[in-house]
Amino acid sequence: MAEFKLPKNSVVQKGKIFKADADAKNVKSFKIYRWSPDDDENPRMDEFEVNLDDCGPMVLDALIHIKSKIDPTVTFRRSCREGICGSCAMNIDGTNTLACTKSIDDVKTECVNVNPLPHRPVVKDLIPDLNEMYAQYASIEPWLKADTPLPERERLQSPEDSDLLNGKNGHGPSACILCFCCSTACPSYWWNGDKYLGPAVLMQADRFISDTRDEATGERLDQLDDKFKLYRCHTIMNCTSTCPKGLNPAASIANIKRKLAERNA
Amino acid sequence: MSDKKHKSIISPLKAARGMGADKSGFHHWWMQRVTAIALIPLTIWFMFCAVGAIANASYDRALEWLSSPLHAVLMILYVIATLYHAALGLKVVIEDYVHKESLKIASIFFVNFACFAGAVASIYAVLLVSLKG
């Protein structure tokens, strides 16, 4: 059955509190999920008071501030700090987003709650295990398949064709950075993530199905015509509302369903 | 291996590919929508026409109403669309939340059987009334 209670060893405990310096005037506290595989302790929420006058504007800046100045054991992924690599995807203030593009000022609550992406095994602190999702990505064979021999120059697309991938506003499936905020926000993915591919991977499937240069459309649709892989999407739309890049994975899924209807109905 | 403790080490890619696509996804999705659309006019007919005609009618008058070929056929279509739609929808709910394979298969079988039996019984009843009249 779907589990509605955390296992005993996952119940989150109260953590330590790290006070800011007494002379700090502009203080915001951050509650951060902590769990380490190296001891037998339950996860806990540590509270860090951050002097915002000594820290950049984004949540990632605060995390880096905490790691460099308060507790070096706080563990998280980050790389580009400009919303293009997808490494720092985490749940901030109850919403999956990128720490680097989430402004601290946008969190109106007294305390900024920072958790790893939901419903994933945790590697450590804010790092979720995404191996299963990368494998699901590999399973849709995300590369161009064409039997037509390579032309002397590039395979041509009309501007309208490329709009199908990039979107007229630049928000098409090609703009996805695979941060998996959407898949880990999806209840269908929570309950059946081992079989349902999830919005992020389906959006990439759509990227190749909609690619006018790709000649394996039928084969790709065959691979998705499954009660779990594609049709476990019940149009809940959490994917689209949480996407930190403003993309629309739900529209991609609808497009795949439309293509299958066009073919099979 | 029949050993219950048998554990295997498989790659994440093998797990992700699983046994491949079952090719039933589209058909299920499509039939759920087809029955939903069919139910719009049929439910309006049922609410206003059938309930209106039978609710305050005498037993004989109700039998007479259902004996009309048009109403008998619409009633049979309504029963089929409703129970087919219900079976398809409940299957999805069970697949979403019941993860123990044996319980899942048993529940889906039970739902399908109950809906099918309900449809057969209803159609039999309508025909009985309609053909006798």
Side-chain angles (χ1 to χ4, degrees):
Chain A
M1 295 289 279
E3 288 174 50
F4 296 101
K5 262 174 142 179
L6 285 169
K8 248 189 184 154
N9 59 354
S10 296
V11 176
V12 182
Q13 316 280 321
K14 251 191 142 172
K16 298 176 220 164
I17 298 178
F18 298 82
K19 289 268 175 209
D21 291 339
D23 57 347
K25 288 190 193 86
N26 190 7
V27 172
K28 183 112 183 165
S29 63
F30 288 76
K31 269 193 187 157
I32 298 178
Y33 179 96
R34 306 297 308 275
W35 180 80
S36 165
D38 301 327
D39 53 45
D40 290 330
E41 284 172 38
N42 272 31
R44 60 177 198 273
M45 295 300 283
D46 278 354
E47 188 173 342
F48 299 90
E49 290 186 357
V50 173
N51 179 3
L52 294 185
D53 294 330
D54 187 28
C55 168
M58 300 301 181
V59 173
L60 181 64
D61 295 316
L63 290 174
I64 292 171
H65 175 93
I66 291 165
K67 189 173 177 69
S68 353
K69 304 210 169 148
I70 308 176
D71 181 352
T73 66
V74 174
T75 309
F76 52 90
R77 292 193 184 105
R78 91 281 178 277
S79 179
C80 75
R81 65 93 184 93
E82 59 181 15
I84 202 61
C85 77
S87 303
C88 65
M90 54 188 73
N91 185 287
I92 299 166
D93 193 24
T95 304
N96 294 352
T97 191
L98 299 172
C100 64
T101 55
K102 178 80 175 177
S103 161
I104 298 171
D105 284 345
D106 285 349
V107 181
K108 297 298 176 208
T109 45
E110 202 176 310
C111 164
V112 185
N113 281 298
V114 187
N115 283 281
L117 289 176
H119 219 277
R120 289 278 93 201
V122 173
V123 177
K124 189 177 182 183
D125 292 351
L126 299 174
I127 301 185
D129 183 348
L130 301 177
N131 282 341
E132 194 182 12
M133 314 175 90
Y134 295 137
Q136 287 175 321
Y137 179 47
S139 80
I140 60 140
E141 307 185 347
W143 51 82
L144 191 103
K145 294 187 189 180
D147 293 327
T148 303
L150 263 179
E152 263 176 46
R153 297 187 52 160
E154 66 271 41
R155 294 180 195 272
L156 292 176
Q157 277 199 303
S158 70
E160 292 79 12
D161 289 342
S162 75
D163 278 351
L164 297 173
L165 313 181
N166 302 322
K168 282 201 176 77
N169 52 6
H171 286 187
S174 288
C176 172
I177 59 173
L178 286 171
C179 65
F180 294 109
C181 280
C182 55
S183 293
T184 54
C186 171
S188 254
Y189 196 76
W190 295 342
W191 307 147
N192 287 292
D194 53 339
K195 289 182 249 162
Y196 173 44
L197 293 176
V201 168
L202 288 172
M203 194 179 198
Q204 289 317 296
D206 177 44
R207 186 241 167 274
F208 287 94
I209 287 166
S210 299
D211 192 322
T212 46
R213 298 160 298 182
D214 186 274
E215 293 165 358
T217 309
E219 180 194 314
R220 293 182 188 282
L221 291 174
D222 283 345
Q223 283 173 5
L224 295 175
D225 183 5
D226 181 270
K227 61 177 175 286
F228 278 98
K229 285 176 193 288
L230 169 68
Y231 287 99
R232 213 37 39 184
C233 164
H234 304 321
T235 351
I236 299 163
M237 307 280 280
N238 277 12
C239 50
T240 299
S241 65
T242 205
C243 177
K245 303 292 285 181
L247 315 185
N248 193 346
S252 276
I253 297 175
N255 189 44
I256 301 173
K257 287 176 178 170
R258 195 180 303 122
K259 286 256 162 63
L260 273 160
E262 212 175 286
R263 184 181 82 170
N264 295 7
Chain B
M1 279 200 218
S2 59
D3 183 4
K4 274 193 177 165
K5 279 177 190 160
H6 173 81
K7 285 211 167 96
S8 39
I9 297 172
I10 60 168
S11 70
L13 183 58
K14 182 174 169 67
R17 284 181 178 158
M19 290 190 273
D22 68 4
K23 304 289 191 298
S24 80
F26 170 77
H27 180 72
H28 181 282
W29 180 85
W30 183 247
M31 289 319 292
Q32 199 162 30
R33 269 133 197 91
V34 168
T35 50
I37 291 167
L39 276 171
I40 297 173
L42 285 171
T43 306
I44 293 172
W45 165 82
F46 184 79
M47 297 286 284
F48 291 98
C49 203
V51 173
I54 293 175
N56 294 317
S58 66
Y59 182 67
D60 289 337
R61 179 76 193 85
L63 284 189
E64 193 188 323
W65 181 84
L66 195 55
S67 307
S68 118
L70 174 71
H71 290 145
V73 167
L74 283 174
M75 188 62 89
I76 291 172
L77 286 175
Y78 179 65
V79 165
I80 292 175
T82 303
L83 290 170
Y84 191 14
H85 189 75
L88 292 170
L90 287 168
K91 179 169 183 275
V92 174
V93 176
I94 293 165
E95 286 165 348
D96 274 351
Y97 294 110
V98 182
H99 289 154
K100 199 175 173 223
E101 205 62 27
S102 52
L103 184 62
K104 179 164 91 182
I105 291 171
S107 313
I108 293 173
F109 179 85
F110 174 77
V111 161
N112 284 340
F113 180 77
C115 288
F116 188 71
V120 170
S122 306
I123 293 167
Y124 175 72
V126 173
L127 289 179
L128 209 60
V129 168
S130 169
L131 296 180
K132 258 190 185 169

